[in-house]
Amino acid sequence: MGRHFEVRAKAYAESAAKKSSTYMRASKEIYMAAKSGDPNPDSNLALRSAIEKWKGQSVPRDVIDRAIKKAAGGDAESYAAGRYEAYGPGGSLFIIDTLSDNTNRALTEVRTAVTRKGGHLGSVIYNFTETGIFAFKGTNRDEVEEALILGDVDVREVNQVDEEYIEVLVEPDAFGAARDVLGTLGITDFEKAEVCPIANDPITLDDPSDLRKFNELCDLLDEIEDVQNVYHNVELSDE
C-alpha cells in the first residue's frame, strides 16, 4: 500500500496495550502543543497538526480533549523533545523521537534497546528527507493533484497507492497550505497527516535473522514510554 504509513498504522493497532501506549503518546504531544500556545487549534498550527496526526492513528476525541483541557488548566507538567539516530540490524537506519520529563532516562533506554539488537547510535539523518505527508481514502488522484498545483502548493508526489488510498507528499513548509487545499475538496479525515523524515533509499531485509532482530528492536522501542515516533528505512511487507 505505498511507503510506510499503513504499516505503522497497523502496528499501533495490533493490541490493547499498544493502543494505550498510542493514547499516552498522543496526550503528551497534544498537551505540549496546547501548552506552548493558544489551546484553540484554530489559532495554533502546532496543536492543529498534532491533533490531525493522532486522529490519523485512531486516537479518540475524548483523549485529545482531555490533553487540551489539561494544558489550558495551567498544569505544570513539562516534557523535553529529543531525537536519536541509530544503525540497526542488517543495514537498517532509525530516527527515534522522544518526549520525556527525564532526558537522561530517554537516552539510556533508547541506547539500551538499540545495542541489545546489535545496533549503535550514530548519525543517519542524511539518509532521510523531511516531508509533509497526507494519506487518506480516495480514488480521485488526478483531481487532488490538480487542486494542489492550482493552489500553488509545493508538491513532491501524489500517489494512488492502492484502490482506496491516496498519498500526498509535499515540502514541509507547504504542509498547512496542502491541508487547506485538501479541505476545499472535502478531505478532512486522514490516515496520516504529519511532517516526518522519509527514507531516501528504502531497503528490504532478506536475511530472516536480520528481519527478526529488526522487528524485535521496533517492539522494544515501542515499549519505551518516552518514545514518541520511530522512523526507519526498511520496506515492510503488507502481509
Side-chain angles (χ1 to χ4, degrees), residues 62-88:
D62 65 307
V63 173
I64 294 170
D65 289 343
R66 281 199 302 271
I68 296 173
K69 185 176 180 180
K70 182 179 178 181
D75 189 277
E77 196 168 10
S78 184
Y79 304 98
R83 170 164 281 187
Y84 305 98
E85 303 168 42
Y87 293 86

Side-chain angles (χ1 to χ4, degrees), residues 1-8 131-142 144-145 148 155-170 178 182 187 190-194 196 198-199 202 235:
M1 236 170 116
R3 298 179 189 269
H4 303 295
F5 80 87
E6 75 293 339
V7 178
R8 283 198 296 267
T131 304
I133 178 170
F134 298 88
F136 49 90
K137 286 190 175 182
T139 57
N140 56 334
R141 178 212 169 277
D142 292 344
V144 168
E145 183 174 44
L148 290 167
V155 180
R156 290 184 186 167
E157 296 179 31
V158 180
N159 303 310
Q160 186 77 50
V161 295
D162 73 355
E163 293 181 355
E164 295 184 26
Y165 284 89
I166 294 173
E167 183 184 69
V168 173
L169 306 181
V170 301
L182 293 173
I187 302 167
F190 301 98
E191 293 290 322
K192 184 176 183 65
E194 66 173 298
C196 64
I198 290 181
E235 198 71 72

Side-chain angles (χ1 to χ4, degrees), residues 16-36:
K18 286 191 176 182
K19 186 175 291 186
S20 175
S21 176
T22 298
Y23 293 175
M24 177 192 67
R25 289 171 175 141
S27 294
K28 286 200 296 185
E29 188 167 334
I30 291 168
Y31 166 81
M32 288 302 293
K35 188 177 177 183
S36 66

Side-chain angles (χ1 to χ4, degrees), residues 5-223:
F5 80 87
E6 75 293 339
V7 178
R8 283 198 296 267
K10 285 185 209 172
Y12 278 113
E14 281 176 354
S15 69
K18 286 191 176 182
K19 186 175 291 186
S20 175
S21 176
T22 298
Y23 293 175
M24 177 192 67
R25 289 171 175 141
S27 294
K28 286 200 296 185
E29 188 167 334
I30 291 168
Y31 166 81
M32 288 302 293
K35 188 177 177 183
S36 66
D38 192 328
N40 181 354
D42 290 336
S43 54
N44 184 334
L45 178 59
L47 176 57
R48 187 160 72 245
S49 297
I51 290 171
E52 289 173 351
K53 168 185 171 179
W54 291 106
K55 280 175 62 180
Q57 294 192 26
S58 302
V59 173
R61 187 74 220 187
D62 65 307
V63 173
I64 294 170
D65 289 343
R66 281 199 302 271
I68 296 173
K69 185 176 180 180
K70 182 179 178 181
D75 189 277
E77 196 168 10
S78 184
Y79 304 98
R83 170 164 281 187
Y84 305 98
E85 303 168 42
Y87 293 86
S92 58
L93 306 175
F94 285 84
I95 295 176
I96 303 154
D97 288 340
T98 61
L99 198 56
S100 175
D101 58 1
N102 186 325
T103 54
N104 289 332
R105 180 187 65 214
L107 170 59
T108 298
E109 293 187 348
V110 167
R111 182 168 53 202
T112 298
V114 171
T115 55
R116 278 182 61 185
K117 296 304 170 183
H120 60 90
L121 298 185
S123 179
V124 303
I125 192 66
Y126 59 89
N127 292 287
F128 295 79
T129 300
E130 204 74 10
T131 304
I133 178 170
F134 298 88
F136 49 90
K137 286 190 175 182
T139 57
N140 56 334
R141 178 212 169 277
D142 292 344
E143 179 185 358
V144 168
E145 183 174 44
E146 181 180 8
L148 290 167
I149 292 172
L150 291 176
D152 201 27
V153 175
D154 198 350
V155 180
R156 290 184 186 167
E157 296 179 31
V158 180
N159 303 310
Q160 186 77 50
V161 295
D162 73 355
E163 293 181 355
E164 295 184 26
Y165 284 89
I166 294 173
E167 183 184 69
V168 173
L169 306 181
V170 301
E171 294 296 330
D173 58 5
F175 183 84
R179 183 195 57 242
D180 293 342
V181 169
L182 293 173
T184 66
L185 298 177
I187 302 167
T188 57
D189 293 326
F190 301 98
E191 293 290 322
K192 184 176 183 65
E194 66 173 298
V195 175
C196 64
I198 290 181
N200 297 330
D201 298 299
I203 66 170
T204 57
L205 296 179
D206 298 320
D207 185 296
S209 176
D210 287 339
L211 182 58
R212 174 181 55 80
K213 290 177 183 178
F214 167 82
N215 287 326
E216 289 173 350
L217 176 52
C218 289
D219 288 341
L220 285 175
L221 293 171
D222 191 58
E223 291 168 5

